[in-house]
Amino acid sequence: MQSMYFTEEHQLFRESLRDFLAKEVIPHINKWEAAGSIERFIWKKFGEMGYFGLAIDETYGGLGLDLFYTVIFLEELQRVNSGGFAAAMWAHSYLAMVHLNKNATHEQKLAYLTPSVNGEKIGCLGVTEPFGGSDVAGMRTTAAKDGDTYIINGSKTFITNGVCGDYCILAAKTDPASGNKGISLFIVDLDSEGISANKLNKLGWHASDTAELAFDNVRVPASNLMGSEGLGFTLIMEAFALERLVMGINAHARAEYALEYAMQYMSERETFGKTINQYQALRHKLVDGYANMDLCKQYNYGVVFKMDKGEYVVKEATISKLKSTEMADKVAYDCLQFLGGYGYIEDYPMARMFRDSRLGPIGGGTSEILKEIIAKIIIDKKEYRVPKA
């Protein structure tokens, strides 16, 4: 922990957070995994501890801390061994709230950001659609202006917190003929008339609710438009940098925890008169996983440092997500193999780690899509920046 990035205050925060998670979260994880939902009280407890406001300005109830507190928050969440629980927390903080923090008006922040910091409102981000996947520009959801409201029709899918959430940061086309230049962002209350949510049954991330949302002539006040019409695509692409870096950090932390668990198991499991951590084939495979994890971890810390200084890191964050999630998926696969038959038993934590890790190279942009984004940046010299006023 004592490095160029972390201070003694960071270390104290990590210890405090780890204690909190051990007392308030871990005892409930198996229950939430089985139920497929998280009890509401924990959101309030996170809010009371300030965990949702780490990077939020004090004006709106936050703590205004540097991004390495966020790194610690994300890393420690992975150690509760529930990708679903972790996703529910960071999707609220770093998908929904990041748009409020960066793009909302003062009035919108008072109405949605402050109660989100306090854990009183739960947010989600609605971008992906059933027919579009990672093709954001191809979305079909529309928002038609009608007086002082917009009428929204369409659907979104794979929305974390879509069932339990109170509001959605929703992308919709206000000018369908203009392609990605016709997309706008709205704050939509999920209890509005005309919204229905269908909970999806997932391979992993069982504790979180993931929804398909349908919007049937949903009226949203014009005052809930974020920024201006047509700016949505650029705002989404710019925010994707943080989302992808978050997923990269999650991945290296998940892999590190899996390796720790595997090493402990290997130090205790004996075959033919010796512990299995003494077999060269297994030792070297573990070293490969550890080395790849540490490479991603150090790279991710460097990207966080640059982002915290306000640098443009869309390329670096995309690389972080691409390489870290693929690495973590391989580490989870290998660590399960270290356990042999016990790795395939649900009573052992590696089975859940394995299932939860598989979403990494899919969610938040598939590896295939990320490679094309990186190609556009480094070959075609494309940039994803909000135009200067």
Side-chain angles (χ1 to χ4, degrees), residues 325-365:
T325 57
E326 291 187 343
M327 172 278 298
D329 207 29
K330 179 67 163 59
V331 166
Y333 183 95
D334 288 341
C335 284
L336 188 146
Q337 187 74 15
F338 292 146
L339 270 69
Y342 291 110
Y344 206 65
I345 302 300
E346 287 285 350
D347 293 339
Y348 284 72
M350 271 311 309
R352 185 186 298 163
M353 291 185 206
F354 178 75
R355 284 187 284 103
D356 285 354
S357 185
R358 190 61 189 90
L359 185 67
I362 300 172

Side-chain angles (χ1 to χ4, degrees), residues 59-344:
T59 304
Y60 303 104
L63 300 175
L65 299 171
D66 66 69
L67 273 178
F68 282 97
Y69 283 92
T70 290
V71 171
I72 294 167
F73 178 72
L74 296 170
E75 288 179 335
E76 292 304 312
L77 279 176
Q78 291 301 312
R79 300 182 70 86
V80 307
N81 194 24
S82 171
F85 178 80
M89 299 300 115
W90 63 255
H92 170 64
S93 299
Y94 300 107
L95 296 187
M97 287 175 60
V98 70
H99 280 285
L100 291 174
N101 191 42
K102 192 168 186 180
N103 305 317
T105 64
H106 176 65
E107 291 73 20
Q108 290 170 341
K109 288 180 179 180
L110 291 177
Y112 292 93
L113 183 58
T114 297
S116 295
V117 169
N118 296 336
E120 296 167 356
K121 283 184 181 289
I122 300 172
C124 62
L125 178 66
V127 176
T128 304
E129 298 192 353
F131 300 102
S134 296
D135 181 12
V136 175
M139 70 175 57
R140 301 180 185 182
T141 300
T142 60
K145 189 74 179 292
D146 182 31
D148 60 355
T149 66
Y150 286 87
I151 302 176
I152 296 178
N153 284 283
S155 61
K156 300 291 178 180
T157 196
F158 308 139
I159 309 304
T160 302
N161 297 337
V163 176
C164 72
D166 299 296
Y167 66 89
C168 179
I169 306 300
L170 184 76
K173 284 191 173 178
T174 45
D175 183 5
S178 297
N180 62 26
K181 292 180 172 56
I183 296 172
S184 304
L185 282 184
F186 298 87
I187 308 169
V188 179
D189 291 307
L190 289 176
D191 61 357
S192 301
E193 185 177 354
I195 298 178
S196 58
N198 174 42
K199 186 175 179 179
L200 301 174
N201 186 23
K202 307 184 297 294
L203 170 67
W205 282 20
H206 287 169
S208 67
D209 77 60
T210 304
E212 184 171 81
L213 299 176
F215 302 86
D216 182 12
N217 290 322
V218 177
R219 286 192 175 271
V220 176
S223 59
N224 279 26
L225 173 70
M226 299 184 73
S228 57
E229 283 194 11
L231 195 57
F233 183 77
T234 305
L235 296 177
I236 292 165
M237 295 306 294
E238 194 173 68
F240 271 165
L242 179 58
E243 177 184 353
R244 286 166 181 161
L245 183 54
V246 164
M247 294 193 73
I249 294 164
N250 289 339
H252 83 234
R254 182 168 63 248
E256 186 170 34
Y257 182 60
L259 287 162
E260 287 179 13
Y261 177 82
M263 283 190 282
Q264 179 63 35
Y265 177 86
M266 293 166 71
S267 72
E268 299 169 353
R269 175 79 163 115
E270 291 188 7
T271 62
F272 304 104
K274 62 181 179 181
T275 56
I276 63 173
N277 64 1
Q278 297 304 306
Y279 289 96
Q280 187 181 72
L282 301 186
R283 290 161 67 88
H284 290 188
K285 185 180 287 290
L286 189 140
V287 166
D288 282 339
Y290 185 92
N292 290 330
M293 176 278 295
D294 204 38
L295 283 170
C296 289
K297 180 180 179 180
Q298 299 307 322
Y299 178 83
N300 293 343
Y301 285 173
V303 180
V304 171
F305 182 81
K306 294 174 71 173
M307 179 178 279
D308 203 35
K309 299 298 182 185
E311 295 186 32
Y312 177 75
V313 294
V314 169
K315 177 188 69 178
E316 292 86 347
T318 307
I319 292 172
S320 165
K321 199 271 184 186
L322 171 68
K323 290 301 182 180
S324 298
T325 57
E326 291 187 343
M327 172 278 298
D329 207 29
K330 179 67 163 59
V331 166
Y333 183 95
D334 288 341
C335 284
L336 188 146
Q337 187 74 15
F338 292 146
L339 270 69
Y342 291 110
Y344 206 65

Side-chain angles (χ1 to χ4, degrees), residues 23-62:
K23 294 174 183 176
E24 304 291 348
V25 174
I26 291 176
H28 302 283
I29 285 296
N30 288 339
K31 174 177 59 175
W32 293 337
E33 284 278 320
S37 61
I38 300 163
E39 292 170 284
R40 188 108 185 179
F41 76 85
I42 197 63
W43 301 87
K44 184 64 175 174
K45 288 196 174 185
F46 267 67
E48 290 171 352
M49 295 296 292
Y51 296 142
F52 292 141
L54 298 177
I56 306 298
D57 190 270
E58 294 178 14
T59 304
Y60 303 104

